Amino acid sequence: MKRGREESMEESSSRVSPTLHHPTAGIIKRLRLENFMCHSKHETEFGNHVNFITGQNGSGKSAILTALCVAFGCRAKGTQRASSLKDFIKTGASNAVIQVEIQNEGEDAFKPEIYGDVINVERRISESTSSTTLKDHQGRKVVSRKAELLEIVEHFNIDVENPCVIMTQDKSREFLHSGNNKDKFKFFYKATLLQQVNDLLESIFKEITMAYEVIKELETAIRPIENELNELQVKIRNMEHVEQISIQVQQLKKKLAWSWVYDVDKQLEEQNIKIEKLKNRIPTCQAKIDQQLHLVEKLKESCSKKRDEIARMLEKTSQVKQMKENLNQSVSMAKKEAFELERDCKSKTSNIQKMVRQLKMLEQQVQDIREQHAKNTQAEESNVEEKLKVLKDEVHAAELKLKGLKEEDASLMESIRRQNDEIQKIADKIHDHEKNHHAIMCRIRDLQQHQNNK
């Protein structure tokens, strides 16, 4: 195959789709490059089967293959294109970006519940560092660990360092132009992973050799322990006689224990006899217990009755207190009313006395007028009679008013007497209620003192 004319590339996932209708997980769908080698911006879509990339020399065909190798974790020296990853950055740019979309549908899909139908692998390369980011089918970041990328590569069997998966120009030239069968066998040996198996077997052989050496060292260390064990076995044989003596001691201990058992059996028989005697007394004791229980029940009933009686007495006491308060209020009101009546009575009595004095004065004036009447002349008699008539009317009115005041005074005295009687009755009721309250409180104290008497 001539360089610059045409380069064929196997499907980048190292597998050909087994069917023509259903997509297979692990197929590369799309590749995007930014500032990678000779590409400023580049995007390639791949088919589900064999893909061919053609172009002139220097157009960037090998750069696509190299980008796939770098995206899947290949080292810079493994691509045989550069010594470090920063050499892949296009001249004049500060970083490079590689984005690869891997199809993730079918039975062999890798964590489809996380990544979905497409796995996006993004590799960013700068002057100082490089990073790998894995995204799901919607472009959301899932993880940025290289271990996850290695797990995906191993799951889809994408070994970019295997010539059977990725055959670079140098490997093709080495394979085609090599006429030595030994070199071709080395290429086959490496491509079929036999070299890797051989390296693994050599490392296993080295580990086995080291394990044998460790076993020899352990055997050397065990020999003194074996000698010590032999000495202990000799001591054990010498101690067998002591073991026989210990067996005899155990037998004697058993005999001693059985002798104790014999004594205990005797004691048990005596105790059983006592128990039988006590069992005969059980009915009598049970009858006494039942009798005492019956008394206890009666006492409980009596106690509950006493408690009810105490509650009733307390309630009655509260009623009596309330009545006492009401009666005290009535007494105070009656005393107040009696005081007012006495004051009114005194006022009216003084008025009556004033009226009596006025009446006496009028009678004296009438007497004087009569005495003067005999002395006065006939001409003045008519005037005197008129005055006398006026005075008689005033006396009559005064007598009527005096009579009304006496009647009113009598009614007031009767009202005062009734109020005094009512006050005396209320005082008697209060005294009776106080006696009852005192008796109830004494009864309550007696009951409280006997409350804990079982």
Side-chain angles (χ1 to χ4, degrees):
M1 184 183 296
K2 187 176 180 181
R3 182 183 178 186
R5 297 289 300 171
E6 181 174 347
E7 289 183 0
S8 66
M9 181 178 67
E10 285 187 351
E11 186 176 315
S12 55
S13 66
S14 78
R15 303 196 297 185
V16 177
S17 178
T19 62
L20 298 176
H21 304 288
H22 301 286
T24 304
I27 296 174
I28 297 174
K29 296 179 63 178
R30 186 177 289 106
L31 172 69
R32 297 187 187 90
L33 302 176
E34 290 183 13
N35 300 325
F36 185 83
M37 294 181 70
C38 62
H39 295 288
S40 296
K41 282 190 178 181
H42 176 77
E43 182 173 345
T44 302
E45 291 190 6
F46 299 101
N48 291 335
H49 305 290
V50 179
N51 295 273
F52 294 91
I53 300 174
T54 60
Q56 298 296 326
N57 288 341
S59 60
K61 302 183 297 299
S62 299
I64 295 173
L65 191 62
T66 304
L68 290 172
C69 294
V70 173
F72 290 125
C74 183
R75 295 171 298 177
K77 292 182 180 180
T79 62
Q80 298 179 355
R81 287 282 184 169
S83 59
S84 63
L85 291 175
K86 66 180 181 179
D87 296 335
F88 291 123
I89 301 173
K90 187 179 180 181
T91 305
S94 61
N95 60 355
V97 180
I98 306 170
Q99 293 180 344
V100 180
E101 292 185 6
I102 305 173
Q103 193 165 285
N104 195 38
E105 296 180 280
E107 296 180 355
D108 295 335
F110 179 80
K111 298 180 180 179
E113 69 279 359
I114 299 175
Y115 292 97
D117 299 336
V118 176
I119 300 175
N120 291 298
V121 181
E122 182 180 294
R123 185 78 182 268
R124 291 185 176 271
I125 303 169
S126 64
E127 293 289 339
S128 59
T129 60
S130 66
S131 62
T132 302
T133 304
L134 301 178
K135 301 179 180 179
D136 60 5
H137 66 287
Q138 294 181 353
R140 293 178 299 190
K141 180 180 176 181
V142 177
V143 71
S144 59
R145 291 184 291 105
K146 193 174 181 180
E148 186 81 4
L149 177 63
L150 295 176
E151 189 176 351
I152 292 173
V153 170
E154 185 178 355
H155 179 78
F156 292 128
N157 197 18
I158 304 174
D159 188 1
V160 293
E161 295 183 357
N162 189 342
C164 289
V165 178
I166 302 293
M167 182 175 284
T168 62
Q169 290 179 357
D170 296 332
K171 290 292 182 181
S172 300
R173 190 184 306 110
E174 180 183 349
F175 180 74
L176 293 173
H177 294 285
S178 177
N180 190 354
N181 292 329
K182 187 175 181 180
D183 294 336
K184 289 184 178 179
F185 179 75
K186 286 182 180 179
F187 182 82
F188 167 78
Y189 194 61
K190 184 177 180 181
T192 55
L193 300 179
L194 291 174
Q195 184 178 358
Q196 183 179 354
V197 173
N198 187 36
D199 294 339
L200 183 61
L201 289 174
E202 287 179 357
S203 64
I204 292 171
F205 181 74
K206 288 180 182 179
E207 290 179 358
I208 290 172
T209 304
M210 292 173 64
Y212 278 131
E213 291 177 357
V214 171
I215 289 170
K216 287 181 181 179
E217 292 178 358
L218 292 173
E219 287 178 350
T220 305
I222 286 172
R223 285 194 186 96
I225 297 173
E226 289 180 347
N227 295 330
E228 186 177 356
L229 182 62
N230 292 328
E231 292 176 359
L232 290 172
Q233 287 178 353
V234 173
K235 290 181 180 180
I236 288 169
R237 284 194 295 271
N238 293 330
M239 293 295 292
E240 286 180 354
H241 181 64
V242 176
E243 186 177 358
Q244 291 178 357
I245 293 172
S246 65
I247 291 170
Q248 291 178 0
V249 170
Q250 292 293 332
Q251 291 177 354
L252 291 172
K253 286 182 178 179
K254 291 178 181 177
K255 289 181 180 178
L256 179 61
W258 280 110
S259 66
W260 289 346
V261 170
Y262 180 73
D263 294 336
V264 170
D265 286 338
K266 283 186 176 180
Q267 293 177 4
L268 287 173
E269 288 179 359
E270 293 176 357
Q271 294 296 327
N272 287 327
I273 293 169
K274 291 181 180 179
I275 288 168
E276 291 296 330
K277 291 180 180 178
L278 292 172
K279 283 182 179 179
N280 294 328
R281 294 178 59 187
I282 286 173
T284 305
C285 294
Q286 187 64 39
K288 291 181 179 180
I289 289 169
D290 294 337
Q291 186 178 1
Q292 295 298 324
L293 288 174
H294 184 65
L295 292 173
V296 168
E297 292 295 330
K298 287 184 177 179
L299 291 172
K300 285 182 178 179
E301 292 178 359
S302 177
C303 183
S304 63
K305 290 180 181 179
K306 295 295 183 182
R307 286 177 181 174
D308 295 338
E309 187 177 355
I310 288 168
R312 289 194 300 272
M313 287 182 177
L314 289 173
E315 185 178 0
K316 191 172 180 181
T317 302
S318 63
Q319 293 177 358
V320 169
K321 286 181 179 179
Q322 185 65 32
M323 290 175 65
K324 182 179 178 182
E325 292 177 358
N326 295 331
L327 290 172
N328 287 329
Q329 291 178 0
S330 299
V331 168
S332 62
M333 291 177 65
K335 286 181 178 179
K336 186 176 180 181
E337 188 176 355
F339 178 75
E340 291 178 355
L341 290 172
E342 286 178 358
R343 187 176 61 185
D344 194 8
C345 182
K346 288 179 181 179
S347 175
K348 290 183 177 182
T349 303
S350 63
N351 291 331
I352 290 167
Q353 290 175 356
K354 287 180 181 180
M355 294 295 292
V356 169
R357 284 196 297 271
Q358 290 177 1
L359 184 59
K360 287 180 179 180
M361 289 174 64
L362 289 173
E363 288 178 351
Q364 185 65 35
Q365 289 178 2
V366 170
Q367 186 66 31
D368 293 337
I369 290 169
R370 286 179 178 178
E371 289 177 356
Q372 290 177 1
H373 178 68
K375 297 176 180 180
N376 290 335
T377 58
Q378 188 68 28
E380 294 176 352
E381 186 176 356
S382 60
N383 292 329
V384 172
E385 287 180 357
E386 290 179 0
K387 289 180 181 181
L388 183 61
K389 186 178 181 181
V390 172
L391 290 173
K392 285 182 178 180
D393 292 337
E394 289 178 0
V395 170
H396 182 69
E399 288 177 352
L400 292 175
K401 189 173 183 180
L402 179 61
K403 184 179 180 182
L405 287 173
K406 287 182 178 180
E407 290 177 356
E408 189 174 354
D409 182 54
S411 64
L412 286 173
M413 293 303 293
E414 183 66 21
S415 177
I416 290 168
R417 188 182 60 77
R418 287 198 301 271
Q419 291 292 333
N420 289 329
D421 293 340
E422 187 174 354
I423 289 168
Q424 186 63 36
K425 290 179 181 179
I426 290 169
D428 294 338
K429 286 183 180 181
I430 290 169
H431 182 68
D432 294 337
H433 283 300
E434 285 179 350
K435 288 176 66 178
N436 292 331
H437 179 263
H438 181 69
I440 289 168
M441 293 304 296
C442 293
R443 181 63 175 166
I444 288 170
R445 284 196 295 271
D446 293 338
L447 292 173
Q448 287 177 349
Q449 290 176 358
H450 295 86
Q451 186 176 2
N452 296 325
N453 188 353
K454 296 182 178 180

